[in-house]
């Protein structure tokens, strides 16, 4: 951490400040006195030092963090890629491309089972489906809840596909027993109480990036889960909010290689939420596979025009079949490069 | 709701769609056939119709909502300003300017009581102070929790100032008994499960706008609380995330008159979080008073450079005293215009 | 164009307004009277109608454009892909992937000739290089200007590669004689006077998307050039400004398929400016090829650490060689899908 | 400038780099060796050093500028407020509030003269009016050009109000002879060729902030003009582009106090373009006066619903009269605080 001090400060004040830092944290402080300003350089573990606290000092001009503020999610301290392996042998991370597919929300036994069978036949490795749905409007369909989870279990029995589904409150955790991967939605990415409690589980968490959250904040939210002991975190880029209105969100495709450089955690891409329109899903999925994503999460509905939720961004099982073939082909080509 | 259809659609498909709409919702559908396209106009209560569902239909080109998607927060159905009145007679909304002041986080009995007495003397009408703190880093100070709430009660006893403090999970609600106004932070603005449960209380809720949330989404989150029966919602503009880095966030000052036109709910402004630097608090507070805000929420700390949280954006009790005088003067001038 | 009127308007006012519209534009107006509001539907060519003018009427609630405001750039009126073919036979658009490579700025004869030879050997089809450089600071290197253009001509003679270089003012057009493709930079995307004058030329224009411009605005700027008679416009996605600071800009990869759906013009991607860091160029180039871009524009420097401009985002000729192989492979795979 | 080096670099490389810096610029370099990394601190005038050039070095981890990259616009080197005084005695900057009012575009002699007389009667100190109009669509009204400037001169003769009008290309400068203040529009804020040439004039330039430009970039564009010798620059905040769609742009009210802290140049606010809707102009104008703006630029039209441009955001002369009274009252109150 580099701290630039304002000019003409009293030696005493600075001394006292340095003492405060070295007594509270395991750091050493080097002082470098220039003609106009003085710079302090902190060596050691600065993860715990709040840079805002430092910036709040009267005599501080500015603060620059050199070391990343996250540890467990940091590739520097964990150079190898993390690969999440489920009891059934399915993996996320590593060399294969995970295909997570299914409807936005579970609507009926017939619907979820039919979609599950279709996407499995096309090569999906995981089944997604919402039982608890975060909707902007209180008057919109909020999901089938417990019943939806029950139907997901049926579909899992039928197809063997592990389940990925979203949790909105720890009060519901009892209902998530057979859920293989628990998803935290974009709107809850900084619901820190939820993250802390999920950190106490030993099941993989799929953590979606918030609409307006930076990559560093996403890693810090992963750190919340990991700091509690649960190191099985999968990150998900699903589009960020920008001024462009042609797409619902703007897919930040660069996030994939950036995160993979900074962290060892697997990263999947959700082109359905990123774009909001079905005809964009395939090209974006292909781009995500090409850029090195570890997986894709795609909304597939047997009858998008009757979907209770997100119909406009859902593709049909036939379209998913075509998409799956293409992304696998591109992923393979890229791996061989 | 205006629905533009794609050209050359089958009459039957459209008929069936219209039937679906009129059977599920209390609406009438008018059809207007142009040379190139057909337009459907929906009359009645379209609040419950999911415009994404409509957009998901194969034959729909685009959808335009004419009616706002919120009811209880809508000024059209509730023309008079809502004024929140506490048992002790303090109000938010109406002609007076509420001044909510206090430290980012409660740190000790001495600290909170000293600040409370100082801000009261300067004219603050409410005491703020965080006991549960949402922090980006799991390694940063997370608040004094139950003990912090206890100390807030002490400060309330001493000064008579009603308390405003943030809740992060309904699990903690038992500790919030004497809290006069419960705050929902920006990061939880779309934590819908929390909103629904706060809707069952009969205490005022201060709902902060999310970093990347639109004004309409803020009103929809208020609607979540109100739909459950709790109509005492205070909205708070606290800066939005933009590309500008000179300030921590960008204060969207226009949000105040825009919200007041769309809704009857009171609106307060938080210049501390909007700017992130103490020297900007006063000019922004004055601007907020001038634009017609119903109140201000300001971080005041007796010793900002030793604050455990948000020191850089805290002002001292002396600075608050000066600010309070100015905003009252400007507010009075604007009211007399 | 759909115009929703405010409730309770005088019949006369509306009649007079309809008359104004039909007398000035070749449109017919259909009126549809609902219970609460009246809606006007305009049929015909609404391109010339300023929707802001309509919105400015006292009695207008809102306006929705159904037809796109651009004509010549619109795929609806020109379904086939535009392919730009240079006198030397090189093309942009169609099935091949154009590779435009070269240094940010021309610095010396040795530099530009060396880079040109190297990138040609790796398969580049065009040479880029800046002679007039738009720099944020007046104190930064502003390009070699006329001399730079002269050196580009040398490099072209040597390698046969057509030249792509940026114009900043029409005063310099005399110097651009042998320039094959004239580039308009992001900061000049809405320099309408420049666009109009470039529209009078009969040379291809590479038009870069502005940092904060929508896809529709980019197409409207293309329309400025095309409306003057120059239909050889190549669009370029180069990243947009968002709140994320990990990359210099955010590559809006979705812009490629979105533009290709709306317009017949070719689209190239500039991963160098989008990311701002050299290690991101290759993965983003691969993603752009996968998503269907018609070409790539890449900054290559023989000695990035001594580059007078944009060194941090330049790759070496060796790195370009590797990149070129990969993008060609991926492009081929995608074409065969 | 603080330069953090990557770990484990060769001493020679660093020595050579330091030599390069000290030979080219008037700086001294201090080296501080930590356990993990080495930090270089540059003392002296670093304005000319391109931080991207530094970041492009292989061995550089990151660069932090301590000194601002602008000189002439910098308050540090020019502590007193700049006050622009016209030959007629009118001022912008200092203690008075400049009121610049008039139509978006000049449409006829009757229109401009009528508006000029009305706004003068209400206390406007300058007349604005567009003769050259930057429009998103090539099919929209582009202004009356030379004739418009002629009519502005008429209105000036009639009322004595100095003229503020926009230039879009230096080719038109001959027509701007009697123009008192030349405006550079938001879309041309980084049209550096235009800025350089305006820097050679000795007339005040009103420089509008670009839609997606940072405050620092605005100051750098001012620096372009000032570096050529023209120090009469007035900055204008007119709203920035964000994700919020309720207003056309988001007025960044904080920009006023931020710019005034960083620079000595006067700052005016344009609430008309910031909001895009007429009912927001007054509250935003009042807020701008309260926050300390040196002036306001307001679109006033005698008949907004027939305006050829920006009618939706124009107010009537009566509304301007009311606004002018209020902003003067608030400005006076704030000055007396």
């Amino acid at each position: 951490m580099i701290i630039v001090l304002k000019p003409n400060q009293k030696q005493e004040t600075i001394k006292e400040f340095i003492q405060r830092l070295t007594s509270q944290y395991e750091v050493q402080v080097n002082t470098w006195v220039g003609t106009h300003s003085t710079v302090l350089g902190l060596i050691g573990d600065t993860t715990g030092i709040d840079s805002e606290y430092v910036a709040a000092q009267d005599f501080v001009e500015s603060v620059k963090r050199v070391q990343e503020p996250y540890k467990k999610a940091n590739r520097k301290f964990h150079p190898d890629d993390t690969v999440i392996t489920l009891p059934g042998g399915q993996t996320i991370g590593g060399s294969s491309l995970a295909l997570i597919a299914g409807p936005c929300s579970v609507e009926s036994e017939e619907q979820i089972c039919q979609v599950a069978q279709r996407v499995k036949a096309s090569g999906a490795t995981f089944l997604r489906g919402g039982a608890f749905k975060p909707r902007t409007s209180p008057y919109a369909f909020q999901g089938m809840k417990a019943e939806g989870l029950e139907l997901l279990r049926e579909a899992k029995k039928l197809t063997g596909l592990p389940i990925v589904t979203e949790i909105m409150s720890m009060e519901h955790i009892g209902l998530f027993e057979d859920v293989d991967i628990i998803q935290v939605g974009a709107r809850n990415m900084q619901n820190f109480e939820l993250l802390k409690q999920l950190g106490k589980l030993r099941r993989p968490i799929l953590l979606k990036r918030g609409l307006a959250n930076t990559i560093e904040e996403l890693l810090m939210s992963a750190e919340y889960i990991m700091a509690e002991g649960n190191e099985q975190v999968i990150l998900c880029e699903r589009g960020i909010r920008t001024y462009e209105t042609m797409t619902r969100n703007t897919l930040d495709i660069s996030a994939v290689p950036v995160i993979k450089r900074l962290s060892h955690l697997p990263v999947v891409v959700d082109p359905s939420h990123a774009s909001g329109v079905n005809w964009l899903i395939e090209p974006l999925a292909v781009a995500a596979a090409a850029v090195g994503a570890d997986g894709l999460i795609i909304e597939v509905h047997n009858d998008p025009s009757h979907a209770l939720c997100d119909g406009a961004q859902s593709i049909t099982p036939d379209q998913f079949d075509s998409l799956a073939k293409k992304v696998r082909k591109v992923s393979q080509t890229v791996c061989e490069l």
Side-chain angles (χ1 to χ4, degrees), chain A:
Chain A
M1 187 176 275
I2 305 285
I3 305 171
V4 180
L5 304 183
K6 289 182 187 158
N8 309 320
Q9 299 302 316
K10 281 189 199 153
Q11 287 296 356
E12 261 168 281
T13 322
I14 297 170
K15 254 193 192 163
E16 192 223 22
F17 176 62
I18 292 175
Q19 230 155 9
R20 238 191 295 158
L21 288 176
T22 48
S23 67
Q24 282 179 50
Y25 306 97
E26 287 190 23
V27 292
Q28 278 178 278
V29 179
N30 281 273
T31 309
W32 164 65
V33 182
T35 24
H36 295 296
S37 52
T38 298
V39 174
L40 307 181
L42 275 58
I43 301 173
D45 182 4
T46 61
T47 319
I49 305 183
D50 188 355
S51 54
E52 290 174 27
Y53 165 78
V54 176
Q57 308 307 312
D58 265 359
F59 48 88
V60 169
E61 175 84 29
S62 64
V63 182
K64 183 180 166 60
R65 200 177 261 290
V66 176
Q67 197 188 328
E68 294 85 5
Y70 43 90
K71 271 190 230 184
K72 294 190 171 258
N74 199 330
R75 189 177 280 278
K76 277 190 192 152
F77 308 123
H78 187 311
D80 295 333
D81 284 352
T82 284
V83 179
I84 309 281
T85 308
L86 297 194
Q90 302 88 345
T91 59
I92 299 187
S95 56
S96 64
L97 183 76
L99 287 180
I100 307 167
C104 172
S105 62
V106 180
E107 295 170 12
S108 69
E109 186 175 346
E110 198 196 334
Q111 175 239 23
I112 189 68
C113 288
Q114 199 183 321
V115 173
Q117 287 176 306
R118 290 294 310 274
V119 298
K120 193 193 177 184
S122 301
T125 43
F126 295 84
L127 175 66
R128 60 147 290 152
F132 291 90
K133 297 299 310 169
R135 306 300 301 277
T136 305
S137 167
Y139 308 121
F141 174 59
Q142 309 271 320
M144 289 183 79
K145 299 168 189 177
E147 201 186 338
L149 287 169
E150 185 51 39
L151 298 180
L152 280 169
R153 269 188 288 271
E154 294 291 322
K156 181 182 173 180
K157 249 185 249 167
L158 191 69
T159 59
L161 292 177
I163 300 169
V164 181
T165 195
E166 179 168 356
I167 196 163
M168 288 177 63
S169 165
M170 277 312 271
E171 285 183 27
H172 308 138
I173 190 67
L175 302 166
F176 279 68
E177 255 178 58
D178 298 314
V179 171
D180 301 276
I181 298 180
I182 299 176
Q183 177 180 317
V184 176
R187 292 172 185 78
N188 277 320
M189 193 202 92
Q190 292 194 318
N191 179 343
F192 301 121
E193 292 299 312
L194 181 62
L195 300 179
K196 279 183 211 172
Q197 294 188 65
L198 293 172
K200 285 172 188 140
L201 302 182
R202 289 300 170 269
R203 262 185 288 169
I205 308 298
L206 181 98
L207 178 65
K208 291 193 142 190
R209 180 178 181 185
L211 269 81
N213 287 110
T214 61
I215 291 170
E216 187 167 296
E217 287 168 348
L218 174 60
L219 291 170
M220 290 306 282
S221 285
E223 191 80 9
Y224 257 100
I225 299 167
M226 299 171 89
E228 298 287 335
N230 184 356
E231 306 212 340
Q232 300 186 70
V233 180
I234 302 149
L235 303 172
C236 178
E237 161 62 35
R238 44 77 74 208
I240 60 173
R241 188 162 263 182
T242 70
Y243 65 84
E244 176 60 69
T245 54
M246 209 62 99
T247 43
R248 183 185 294 181
N249 296 290
T250 297
L251 179 64
D252 182 6
I253 194 106
S254 316
V256 178
V258 169
I259 292 173
K260 293 191 89 65
R261 189 179 173 96
L262 297 172
S263 178
H264 51 89
L265 297 173
V267 189
V268 302
V269 168
D270 174 350
S272 308
H273 284 87
S275 66
V277 283
N278 51 21
W279 55 268
L280 269 173
I281 313 297
E282 190 178 289
L284 295 185
V286 169
V291 93
D294 294 303
L296 294 165
I297 175 162
I298 312 269
E299 288 189 354
V300 180
H301 197 284
N302 49 340
D303 183 5
S305 72
H306 286 80
L308 293 177
C309 165
D310 278 358
Q313 70 190 40
S314 292
I315 58 174
T316 62
D318 284 349
Q319 290 168 329
F320 178 72
D321 191 63
S322 152
L323 177 151
K325 282 197 183 73
K326 291 183 187 174
V327 295
R328 272 198 307 262
K329 192 76 198 296
V330 169
S331 179
Q332 203 183 327
T333 304
V334 170
C335 281
E336 288 165 5
L337 289 176

